[in-house]
């Protein structure tokens, strides 16, 4: 299956959101534009269904995972149920999307479950009304609880339901104390796993007052550890979670114990090791294995890329993207230690595994060739 479906696809079907969360770029804009800025597929920023069908036909048959959103709120798309139904036809093993869930209707919930969506990841950032509504401007906590209940009800009446719920919690000063309540809240709501991340500086909005970077690291680690252990005791997995263990050398026994706990928690997954191998081998695990499609049809090799796209839908094709000069130049730059474009300053980039071995090596009967190439 992994060989037949080697790609991950990330796409946004809209440029808009229905909230203005204090730490988000939508706090300062009504519409998120993507390069090239003069390209648009619709006046309202919604990807047309026929363009989505083209994207799906080209990319989904070889996709292991499809994220139906990245930077905006997918369920405000007026044809969201149709888009999910189209995605479900391709039997992608892992369809998922992040959402604030407030635009969920019974029709959309039925489409989600019928399409075999693997995970609905609910961004909520607060387990009580005061915290939630202080951060998620425009959101109502009571409506969130109602939408969570609706999704649970629809899932329960489908005998072959495979849709799980995840909670996304951005940790910041406004909800620092509230984090401790997250595992109990998740258990009550029938949540399968948690995605906890630190708030980060965001273009277009001054969220520096929310950053936890100036806080005592030991206190932060202690709080994170307590929450992580509470969640795992309740049988809730940690999909993503900040590191809370101090750095430094560990004994063999400590390493084994750590690995076993991380596996039990859900943090030690085979996909992480596969990505780490691609990263070491190529300098980055994204280009060629990851496709990002924006609402204006622009295709990029990763969510961090902010230069010229590799192609534009609806004209683009997988064959053309995979062999494009742009993608080859990105790969070559990473592999030879001369990254181009966004890769030159990206902190996700790593040195390729073979870079220390660029020297003349003997092959066969004393024949020497330069190994500063991209041969494997």
């Amino acid at each position: 299956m992994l060989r037949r479906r080697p790609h991950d696809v990330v796409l946004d079907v809209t440029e808009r959101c229905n909230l203005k969360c204090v730490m988000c770029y939508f706090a300062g804009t009504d519409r998120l534009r993507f390069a090239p800025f003069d390209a648009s597929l619709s006046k309202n920023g919604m990807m047309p269904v026929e363009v989505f069908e083209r994207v799906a036909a080209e990319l989904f048959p070889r996709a292991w995972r499809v994220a139906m959103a990245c930077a905006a709120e997918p369920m405000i798309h007026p044809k969201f149920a149709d888009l999910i139904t189209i995605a479900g036809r391709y039997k992608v093993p892992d369809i998922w999307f992040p959402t604030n869930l407030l635009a969920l209707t019974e029709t959309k919930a039925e489409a989600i479950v019928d399409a075999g969506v693997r995970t609905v990841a609910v961004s909520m950032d607060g387990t009580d009304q005061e915290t939630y509504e202080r951060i998620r401007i425009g959101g109502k906590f009571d409506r969130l609880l109602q939408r969570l209940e609706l999704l649970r009800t629809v899932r329960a009446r489908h005998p072959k339901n495979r849709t799980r719920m995840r909670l996304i919690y951005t940790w910041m000063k406004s909800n620092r104390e509230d984090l401790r309540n997250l595992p109990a809240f998740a258990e009550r709501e029938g949540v399968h796993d948690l995605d906890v991340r630190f708030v980060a500086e965001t273009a277009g909005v001054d969220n520096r007052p929310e950053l936890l970077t100036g806080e005592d690291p030991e206190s932060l680690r202690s709080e994170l550890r307590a929450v992580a252990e509470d969640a795992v005791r309740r049988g809730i997995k940690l999909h993503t979670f900040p590191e809370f263990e101090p750095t430094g050398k560990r004994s063999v026994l400590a390493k084994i114990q750590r690995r076993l706990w991380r596996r039990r928690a859900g943090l030690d997954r085979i996909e992480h090791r596969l990505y780490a191998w691609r990263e070491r081998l190529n300098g980055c695990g994204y280009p060629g294995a990851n496709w990002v499609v924006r609402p204006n049809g622009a295709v990029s090799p990763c969510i961090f890329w902010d230069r010229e796209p590799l192609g534009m839908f609806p004209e683009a094709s997988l064959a053309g993207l995979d062999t494009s000069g742009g993608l080859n130049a990105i790969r070559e730059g990473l592999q030879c230690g001369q990254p181009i474009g966004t890769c030159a300053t990206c902190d996700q980039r790593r040195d390729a595994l073979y870079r220390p071995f660029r020297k003349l090596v003997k092959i066969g009967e004393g024949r020497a060739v330069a190994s500063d190439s991209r041969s494997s």
Side-chain angles (χ1 to χ4, degrees):
M1 182 68 74
L2 280 171
R3 289 181 178 177
R4 289 196 301 111
R5 293 181 174 269
H7 299 147
D8 284 353
V9 178
V10 179
L11 69 156
D12 272 304
V13 296
T14 177
E15 298 174 349
R16 300 183 180 275
C17 187
N18 51 349
L19 297 183
K20 288 186 172 294
C21 302
V22 297
M23 70 294 187
C24 179
Y25 31 68
F26 279 110
T29 185
D30 292 323
R31 191 165 176 177
L32 193 63
R33 300 283 188 169
F34 298 94
F37 301 110
D38 59 347
S40 179
L41 295 172
S42 67
K43 292 182 178 180
N44 62 3
M46 306 291 177
M47 181 181 287
V49 173
E50 58 270 23
V51 177
F52 182 85
E53 288 181 322
R54 169 69 177 175
V55 173
E58 285 294 327
L59 301 183
F60 290 9
R62 288 179 58 78
W64 175 261
R65 177 176 291 116
V66 168
M68 292 280 293
C70 175
E73 172 50 53
M75 283 204 285
I76 65 172
H77 194 294
K79 299 291 185 180
F80 177 79
D82 295 338
L83 302 183
I84 283 290
T85 299
I86 293 168
R89 295 174 188 157
Y90 291 89
K91 307 298 181 184
V92 178
D94 188 354
I95 301 175
W96 81 283
F97 60 91
T99 172
N100 58 47
L101 206 67
L102 300 179
L104 182 71
T105 63
E106 187 164 357
T107 298
K108 294 173 185 176
E110 291 283 355
I112 288 167
V113 176
D114 287 342
V117 170
R118 181 70 168 168
T119 303
V120 177
V122 183
S123 297
M124 36 85 73
D125 309 318
T127 62
D128 60 47
Q129 181 176 353
E130 181 183 359
T131 305
Y132 176 87
E133 294 182 6
R134 183 172 64 243
I135 294 171
R136 311 216 118 227
I137 306 300
K140 297 298 180 183
F141 190 67
D142 286 346
R143 183 168 179 81
L144 171 68
L145 297 181
Q146 293 167 3
R147 301 305 90 185
L148 286 168
E149 182 178 1
L150 172 60
L151 186 54
R152 285 199 309 274
T153 300
V154 173
R155 290 166 60 219
R157 68 183 182 223
H158 282 254
K160 295 184 179 180
N161 162 63
R162 67 190 295 266
T163 303
R164 307 175 301 179
M165 283 197 292
R166 176 181 304 150
L167 294 183
I168 301 177
Y169 193 100
T170 303
W171 200 29
M172 64 193 92
K173 286 186 179 179
S174 291
N175 63 8
R176 179 171 177 177
E177 299 300 322
D178 184 78
L179 179 65
R180 68 183 65 181
N181 303 321
L182 186 61
F185 180 89
E187 185 178 37
R188 288 196 304 271
E189 298 298 331
V191 170
H192 180 269
D193 57 12
L194 302 179
D195 178 342
V196 176
R197 72 278 297 272
F198 281 107
V199 67
E201 290 192 44
T202 303
V205 61
D206 183 7
N207 62 7
R208 288 174 295 179
E210 293 289 354
L211 300 181
L212 292 168
T213 49
E215 303 297 317
D216 175 41
E218 271 305 313
S219 296
L220 295 175
R221 282 197 290 263
S222 177
E223 293 167 41
L224 288 168
R225 181 184 298 107
V227 172
E229 292 175 349
D230 185 17
V232 174
R233 278 195 301 268
R234 295 172 186 270
I236 299 168
K237 299 292 186 182
L238 306 178
H239 179 79
T240 306
F241 206 84
E243 182 60 67
F244 56 82
E245 295 174 303
T247 58
K249 292 185 178 180
R250 298 184 177 92
S251 67
V252 174
L253 178 59
K255 289 180 179 179
I256 293 173
Q257 290 174 333
R258 180 177 184 271
R259 173 60 64 85
L260 291 175
W261 187 88
R262 288 178 63 83
R263 185 166 295 177
R264 178 186 171 202
L267 291 169
D268 186 4
R269 301 194 294 274
I270 184 64
E271 65 186 272
H272 294 162
R273 292 194 286 274
L274 290 172
Y275 174 83
W277 171 249
R278 292 198 306 269
E279 184 180 50
R280 293 182 68 201
L281 185 65
N282 299 314
C284 181
Y286 290 126
N290 193 78
W291 301 109
V292 177
V293 185
R294 300 304 188 180
N296 62 357
V299 187
S300 301
C302 72
I303 61 172
F304 307 106
W305 187 260
D306 60 2
R307 306 301 175 87
E308 284 297 311
L310 302 179
M312 297 290 296
F313 276 104
E315 293 80 10
S317 67
L318 177 58
L321 292 169
D322 208 25
T323 58
S324 70
L327 180 61
N328 288 334
I330 292 170
R331 286 168 162 166
E332 291 171 2
L334 288 165
Q335 292 174 348
C336 73
Q338 297 178 335
I340 65 171
T342 309
C343 301
T345 55
C346 181
D347 60 8
Q348 299 291 314
R349 176 172 52 86
R350 299 291 183 270
D351 286 346
L353 178 66
Y354 49 77
R355 283 181 61 189
F357 303 101
R358 290 192 202 127
K359 57 185 178 181
L360 292 179
V361 294
K362 291 184 177 180
I363 297 180
E365 298 178 354
R367 185 165 50 91
V369 298
S371 64
D372 188 18
S373 68
R374 290 168 298 280
S375 60
S376 58

